[in-house]
């Protein structure tokens, strides 16, 4: 089984690099990207089933129907042959850690997991391994205690140059198995929707995830209810009701949470002034930002920064 490890981003200005051959790797082999950059972008491309992480900043991706933003707290799953673009534009050096699964290994693992008995597995292998690919829910996932520990361990081994092909094969098989487990857990979550047919429940869940991912990727913009409900292709009232049911927050509450969470990171990890931080977090009015921050964290942004810099703990309301 072939693995390609990429530690440097593709330089489209280098005439020695064949663009077609470079991007072919992402569909024909298993690929691991572990690269660093402040500013990088690529136009739309297709790849195999992929799982994407970003550390020390954020990375954004865009498909025809949705925007995604990943950072230290999340990862993104995109299905095979999904066309997408992406970019990093950060004041910090962002680490990209992405896995691309070649079709054969994905089908092998998922086909085995879908088999209900050893007889099914033998029949599956004897048939040549043909299986209908699972379409995972394309969305950002919060790091958890299921997949994330394996991802972090693999990332550390790669950074320490302590890997070989057998180790990578085992880890790719394990991650695909865990991804299937997370998918089944989501299916159970979808069953909590109102009494409607299963196909409609899945479609509604996908639409609400798109809306949440849009907020995650665009919280620094002016977002209206009409705009975000249109992403989900739902009426504003219907969208409000279902979004709160699934995400336990209204769209506005979730937007506020994401903005304040992002501003927290900037206060601790950068030397930007408070006005610039409020702007980057999506607030045009500094006093509104300061008031909301104090309401949620019981101290002003200035004091929060000072206390964090002296490593004192802050209680969150």
């Amino acid at each position: 089984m072939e693995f390609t490890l990429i530690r440097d981003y593709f330089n489209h200005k280098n005439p020695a690099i064949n663009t077609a051959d470079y991007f072919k790797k992402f569909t024909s082999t298993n690929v691991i990207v572990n690269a660093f950059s402040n500013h990088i972008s690529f136009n739309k491309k297709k790849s195999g089933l992929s799982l994407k992480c970003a550390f020390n900043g954020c990375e954004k991706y865009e498909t025809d129907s949705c925007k995604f933003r990943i950072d230290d707290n999340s990862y993104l799953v995109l299905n095979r042959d999904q066309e997408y673009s992406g970019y990093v534009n950060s004041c910090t050096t962002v680490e990209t850690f992405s896995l691309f699964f070649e079709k054969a290994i994905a089908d092998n693992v998922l086909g085995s997991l879908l088999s209900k008995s050893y007889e099914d597995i033998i029949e599956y292998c004897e048939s040549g391994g043909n299986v209908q690919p699972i379409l995972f829910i394309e969305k950002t996932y919060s790091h958890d205690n299921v997949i994330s520990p394996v991802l972090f361990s693999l990332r550390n081994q790669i950074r320490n140059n302590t890997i070989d092909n057998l180790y990578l094969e085992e880890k790719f098989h394990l991650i695909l198995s865990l991804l299937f487990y997370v998918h089944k857990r989501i299916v159970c979550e979808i069953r909590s929707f109102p009494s409607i047919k299963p196909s409609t429940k899945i479609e509604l869940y996908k639409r609400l995830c798109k809306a949440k991912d849009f907020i995650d990727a665009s919280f620094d913009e002016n977002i209206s209810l009409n705009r975000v409900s249109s992403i989900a292709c739902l009426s504003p009232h219907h969208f409000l009701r279902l979004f709160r049911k699934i995400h336990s927050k209204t769209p506005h509450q979730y937007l506020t949470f994401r903005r304040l969470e992002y501003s927290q990171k900037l206060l601790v990890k950068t030397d930007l002034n408070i006005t610039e931080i409020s702007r980057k977090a999506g607030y045009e009015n500094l006093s509104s930002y300061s008031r909301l921050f104090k309401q949620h964290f019981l101290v002003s942004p200035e004091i929060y920064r000072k206390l964090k810099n002296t490593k004192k703990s802050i209680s969150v309301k």
Side-chain angles (χ1 to χ4, degrees):
M1 183 177 294
E2 184 178 355
F3 287 88
T4 301
L5 177 59
I6 297 175
R7 295 186 181 274
D8 296 302
Y9 281 109
F10 170 70
N11 182 1
H12 64 277
K13 295 181 180 179
N14 186 344
I17 298 177
N18 185 301
T19 305
D21 288 345
Y22 179 86
F23 285 110
K24 185 179 179 181
K25 298 175 185 176
F26 293 89
T27 56
S28 61
T29 66
N30 299 291
V31 178
I32 302 168
V33 177
N34 190 207
F36 298 79
S37 180
N38 294 75
H39 305 283
I40 190 72
S41 65
F42 60 87
N43 296 326
K44 284 187 176 180
K45 66 170 185 176
K46 290 183 180 180
S47 71
L49 171 67
S50 62
L51 191 158
K52 306 175 186 302
C53 305
F55 302 95
N56 196 43
C58 78
E59 189 166 3
K60 293 187 177 183
Y61 294 90
E62 188 169 347
T63 65
D64 286 338
S65 60
C66 194
K67 292 182 178 180
F68 305 95
R69 178 187 188 276
I70 54 172
D71 55 22
D72 299 72
N73 301 315
S74 58
Y75 62 90
L76 171 65
V77 175
L78 292 177
N79 285 307
R80 181 189 308 162
D81 292 332
Q82 173 63 272
E83 193 173 48
Y84 63 92
S85 58
Y87 70 91
V88 171
N89 185 14
S90 175
C91 55
T92 59
T93 299
V94 178
E95 176 187 357
T96 294
F97 182 68
S98 297
L99 309 180
F100 298 81
F101 300 89
E102 190 260 332
K103 181 179 183 298
I105 185 175
D107 287 354
N108 178 270
V109 172
L110 299 176
S112 297
L113 291 171
L114 288 170
S115 302
K116 296 180 180 178
S117 66
Y118 289 114
E119 288 76 12
D120 287 342
I121 294 173
I122 292 172
E123 184 179 341
Y124 161 75
C125 294
E126 290 178 344
S127 70
N130 294 319
V131 64
Q132 183 70 27
I134 292 176
L135 291 179
F136 293 99
I137 305 294
E138 294 186 326
K139 73 183 192 81
T140 54
Y141 296 75
S142 296
H143 277 303
D144 52 36
N145 59 359
V146 179
I147 290 182
S148 300
V150 183
L151 291 174
F152 299 157
S153 174
L154 175 58
R155 171 184 171 227
N156 288 335
Q157 294 297 326
I158 288 171
R159 293 175 73 179
N160 294 331
N161 292 312
T162 53
I163 55 172
D164 56 35
N165 255 41
L166 180 58
Y167 173 83
L168 291 175
E169 285 187 48
E170 290 181 359
K171 291 302 179 185
F172 266 52
H173 275 263
L174 176 57
I175 290 168
L176 280 169
S177 300
L178 296 174
L179 189 58
F180 182 71
Y181 170 79
V182 170
H183 179 71
K184 289 198 298 182
R185 198 165 63 179
I186 288 176
V187 171
C188 292
E189 184 181 337
I190 291 173
R191 288 174 182 159
S192 67
F193 265 67
S195 313
I196 49 180
K197 59 184 181 180
S199 60
T200 306
K201 289 184 180 184
I202 293 172
E203 179 59 28
L204 275 176
Y205 185 86
K206 288 180 178 179
R207 292 184 185 188
L208 292 168
C209 286
K210 282 183 180 180
K212 177 178 173 292
D213 282 322
F214 176 80
I215 294 174
D216 286 338
S218 312
F219 62 76
D220 56 342
E221 302 174 15
N222 185 19
I223 298 177
S224 67
L225 178 59
N226 281 340
R227 186 182 181 191
V228 71
S229 63
S230 69
I231 296 294
C233 299
L234 295 169
S235 70
H237 182 73
H238 196 196
F239 170 74
L240 270 175
R241 182 167 58 85
L242 288 174
F243 189 95
R244 184 167 189 171
K245 180 176 179 59
I246 293 300
H247 300 301
S248 303
K249 290 181 175 67
T250 69
H252 181 260
Q253 288 170 339
Y254 183 73
L255 175 62
T256 300
F257 163 76
R258 292 296 284 119
R259 285 174 168 174
L260 292 178
E261 179 188 54
Y262 182 62
S263 74
Q264 273 184 288
K265 292 179 181 179
L266 294 181
L267 285 167
V268 175
K269 294 186 175 182
T270 74
D271 295 323
L272 296 172
N273 61 53
I274 306 300
T275 300
E276 182 66 10
I277 287 174
S278 68
R279 187 189 65 78
K280 284 184 174 292
Y283 292 99
E284 297 179 359
N285 187 297
L286 176 60
S287 60
S288 295
Y289 162 68
S290 298
R291 184 173 63 254
L292 269 173
F293 192 96
K294 188 171 184 178
Q295 179 182 330
H296 281 76
F297 300 105
L298 307 180
V299 293
S300 68
E302 293 85 354
I303 294 177
Y304 181 92
R305 170 176 269 171
K306 289 178 181 177
L307 290 174
K308 279 295 182 180
N309 286 340
T310 55
K311 298 185 179 181
K312 292 183 178 179
S313 62
I314 296 177
S315 61
V316 178
K317 188 174 181 180

